[in-house]
Amino acid sequence: MALKITNKCINCDMCEPECPNEAISMGFDTYEIDPTKCTECVGYYDHSTCQRVCPIQNAIIADPEHVETQEELLAKFQGIKASS
Ligand code: SF4
Ligand code: SF4
């Protein structure tokens, strides 16, 4: 599933440059994740790199509205790569 940024985000800007899919951008109040681009870092890393660099607990969490299997995340990764 895609991840999402919660209102605990302090806009520290640590995550945005680390996302291999350019899925993170500044939103209205806090940074946001585009669920069409987030692959949970599948295809690049073993763990979600944005969660790894975020200094705030629970600022980046799994998005229950965008549940995806590993196979679906891999297909999304391949689709993003093919279009880039
Ligand atoms: Fe980007 Fe990976 Fe975070 Fe998804 S989990 S927003 S792909 S850094
Ligand atoms: Fe917000 Fe965490 Fe990203 Fe910093 S690293 S901008 S606190 S989500």
Side-chain angles (χ1 to χ4, degrees), residues 50-61:
C50 57
Q51 280 184 317
R52 185 171 269 175
V53 300
C54 180
I56 306 298
Q57 196 171 12
N58 295 325
I60 306 178
I61 62 172

Side-chain angles (χ1 to χ4, degrees), residues 17-23 37-50 52 70 73-84:
E18 298 295 334
C19 178
N21 292 321
E22 298 182 354
K37 293 183 178 177
C38 176
T39 63
E40 280 186 62
C41 289
V42 165
Y44 288 101
Y45 308 119
D46 290 339
H47 299 284
S48 298
T49 194
C50 57
R52 185 171 269 175
Q70 286 294 302
L73 290 168
L74 191 56
K76 192 197 284 188
F77 159 73
Q78 288 163 342
I80 291 170
K81 232 173 166 217
S83 66
S84 65

